Amino acid sequence: KCTAVLVGCGLGRTQAGMELVAALLRTVEAPLVLDADALSLLAGNTELLRERKGPVILTPHPVEMARLCGKRLADVQQNRLETAKSFAKEYGVIVLLKGPDTIITNGDRVCINLTGNAGMAKAGSGDVLAGMIGAFAAQKVPPMLAAVCGAYLHGAAGDRCAKRLSQYGMLPLDMIEDLCGIFVENGR
């Protein structure tokens, strides 16, 4: 009965976690956002993505992408766009490859997000992003658009937060206040 599912944040890398991720892929028809530990558990088990029942959005940082692809980190970083695009196309998923100029692709369509800054490269920031994408998807925003909007607004909140607290002083929770400010200013 859910309209979207997010799994991975704080899941842990256990057999029970792997079984949960596999079961969700095989049964959930709503958009499924896979982040953090869910991505680590999928490394070496990417064939499970072919068993998905609904749309899947993966939100890896470059190290997680390298694990998923079975590539060296340097190879992923040298060819971020092609890596994300080919993985998305091969498995029929949406990939949001985090980093400077975050890439969002379904294998055919590609969007590059230009918002955000280095102060966001802290533990927990990706959890905020995954939650935002899951929230958009839960409101029936189409999965690709949910990922694009999540990345853009996450980065915009991060940019506002950096102006307010500095890239060094900001924390992921601080960005939520700035996200609320963006919504208020835009009458949402």
Side-chain angles (χ1 to χ4, degrees), residues 103-114:
I103 296 165
I104 306 104
T105 182
N106 62 6
D108 294 316
R109 186 172 170 213
V110 174
C111 296
I112 308 292
N113 181 57
L114 302 179

Side-chain angles (χ1 to χ4, degrees), residues 21 25 32 34 39 42 45-54 56 58 68 87 91-93:
V21 171
L25 283 164
L32 177 60
L34 300 177
L39 298 172
L42 272 178
N45 297 295
T46 53
E47 290 303 311
L48 284 171
L49 292 170
R50 298 187 196 285
E51 299 180 36
R52 73 193 179 290
K53 291 291 183 217
V56 172
L58 306 178
L68 285 167
F87 189 91
Y91 291 100
V93 298

Side-chain angles (χ1 to χ4, degrees), residues 26-178:
R26 292 177 180 137
T27 60
V28 173
E29 294 179 14
L32 177 60
V33 181
L34 300 177
D35 186 46
D37 289 336
L39 298 172
S40 294
L41 291 167
L42 272 178
N45 297 295
T46 53
E47 290 303 311
L48 284 171
L49 292 170
R50 298 187 196 285
E51 299 180 36
R52 73 193 179 290
K53 291 291 183 217
V56 172
I57 303 168
L58 306 178
T59 60
H61 55 60
V63 171
E64 291 165 333
M65 191 78 232
R67 285 187 206 132
L68 285 167
C69 296
K71 294 182 177 182
R72 294 177 331 121
L73 175 60
D75 296 333
V76 170
Q77 291 291 65
Q78 287 175 357
N79 204 351
R80 290 169 44 83
L81 179 58
E82 188 51 42
T83 298
K85 197 172 167 186
S86 64
F87 189 91
K89 191 169 204 100
E90 180 177 351
Y91 291 100
V93 298
I94 296 164
V95 173
L96 185 149
L97 180 54
K98 295 183 272 197
D101 300 337
T102 292
I103 296 165
I104 306 104
T105 182
N106 62 6
D108 294 316
R109 186 172 170 213
V110 174
C111 296
I112 308 292
N113 181 57
L114 302 179
T115 63
N117 61 75
M120 298 168 66
K122 295 180 177 141
S125 183
D127 296 342
V128 173
L129 172 61
M132 291 173 66
I133 294 167
F136 283 124
Q139 295 174 68
K140 305 217 184 238
V141 173
M144 180 73 177
L145 185 57
V148 169
C149 290
Y152 175 80
L153 288 168
H154 182 254
D159 288 341
R160 280 180 61 131
C161 191
K163 286 180 185 170
R164 186 169 57 88
L165 299 173
S166 84
Q167 289 184 19
Y168 295 104
M170 64 188 280
L171 295 173
L173 275 176
D174 298 324
M175 293 189 305
I176 294 170
E177 181 179 329
D178 292 286

